[in-house]
Amino acid sequence: WDFNTTAGVIEVPKENYWKVGDSTNIMHFTVEQPLESGTLLCWARNVVGLQVNPCAFQIIQEAPPEAVNNCLVVNLTPNEAFIRCQPGWDGGLFQSFTMSVAHQNKKSHPEEPRLLAYTSTSPRPEFDLSQLESG
């Protein structure tokens, strides 16, 4: 077992993995540095020989996702709107996107915005807002 990072290839210590039965290895692996990522590589060996191409597991640390950007109103009518955005970095995890549209009357009810539309989509930040009040 090796861990291939931008800093180089690190051999995984033998005490971090062990053999179970004839054909199974179990590994305990912990990323040591914040935001460290890389590829965990393994090779198998049997009576025929050594595996040529290693198995590979991408190690990506989780982080909060970035905000969407470059949002465009693609189709706008008096009662509908289609909005398309570019997703930010997903933080290494699956993400879904939600949009709500509210009207806030700052003079009569500044603390209570009125929800006009709520929609969610997954996995792309594309929103089809329909049946909106005109205006």
Side-chain angles (χ1 to χ4, degrees):
W1 290 89
D2 287 342
F3 187 47
N4 187 3
T5 70
T6 54
V9 178
I10 302 162
E11 186 176 338
V12 176
K14 293 196 184 307
E15 59 266 15
N16 287 21
Y17 58 93
W18 54 96
K19 189 174 181 179
V20 177
D22 290 336
S23 62
T24 303
N25 264 303
I26 295 178
M27 165 170 295
H28 175 77
F29 182 79
T30 303
V31 176
E32 300 293 334
Q33 301 296 320
L35 299 178
E36 182 177 36
S37 61
T39 306
L40 195 57
L41 304 168
C42 68
W43 289 266
R45 180 187 317 262
N46 62 16
V47 294
V48 177
L50 179 65
Q51 179 179 342
V52 176
N53 297 317
C55 58
F57 301 93
Q58 289 296 122
I59 307 297
I60 301 171
Q61 284 204 353
E62 302 165 355
E66 293 178 351
V68 295
N69 56 68
N70 296 329
C71 293
L72 297 172
V73 177
V74 179
N75 187 16
L76 180 62
T77 69
N79 299 342
E80 296 182 37
F82 185 80
I83 299 167
R84 180 179 297 142
C85 303
Q86 294 296 315
W89 182 61
D90 63 12
L93 296 171
F94 174 80
Q95 61 184 347
S96 62
F97 301 90
T98 303
M99 172 180 270
S100 60
V101 178
H103 179 268
Q104 185 172 12
N105 186 337
K106 292 185 180 185
K107 291 181 182 175
S108 62
H109 301 290
E111 67 287 337
E112 297 178 24
R114 185 169 49 99
L115 187 64
L116 301 176
Y118 174 84
T119 183
S120 65
T121 185
S122 182
R124 295 182 307 268
E126 297 177 354
F127 308 97
D128 190 5
L129 304 171
S130 59
Q131 300 177 349
L132 295 172
E133 292 178 14
S134 185

